[in-house]
Amino acid sequence: VLISTDWDGTEESLLSAEWQILSAAYIAQNNDFFGDWFSSGLVDLSCVDGKGYIAFRYTGSDLAYYNGVYELDEIVVSAD
């Protein structure tokens, strides 16, 4: 899970933006069972001042039958 405060929201500038790892978010590991759901719990976004963009990135395997996928569910972003 990555976060950026300088991306302008366009596809053209996606790779030139500065992206930081949002380490508080739990990401499933290779040895985690693929059928299990894992909660990140509450993730503090106080590191963002103003507008921020959250990105989810994963690396596949180049094998059409085993390229992997992440499923995201119940994502809520709120302010106190």
Side-chain angles (χ1 to χ4, degrees), residues 16-59:
S16 63
E18 183 177 332
W19 294 94
Q20 302 295 321
I21 294 173
L22 193 54
S23 58
Y26 180 78
I27 301 299
Q29 305 299 306
N30 285 338
N31 58 342
D32 289 335
F33 178 66
F34 74 92
D36 289 342
W37 288 92
F38 298 93
S39 174
S40 285
L42 297 176
V43 177
D44 184 4
L45 297 176
S46 64
C47 59
V48 177
D49 185 26
K51 188 182 287 188
Y53 295 88
I54 298 171
F56 300 90
R57 177 183 71 185
Y58 77 95
T59 303

Side-chain angles (χ1 to χ4, degrees), residues 1 26-27 37 54-57 69-75:
V1 178
Y26 180 78
I27 301 299
W37 288 92
I54 298 171
F56 300 90
R57 177 183 71 185
V69 66
Y70 274 95
E71 295 182 24
L72 307 173
D73 193 22
E74 297 183 21
I75 296 172

Side-chain angles (χ1 to χ4, degrees), residues 59-80:
T59 303
S61 69
D62 288 343
L63 300 174
Y65 60 90
Y66 189 72
N67 204 18
V69 66
Y70 274 95
E71 295 182 24
L72 307 173
D73 193 22
E74 297 183 21
I75 296 172
V76 176
V77 178
S78 62
D80 290 342

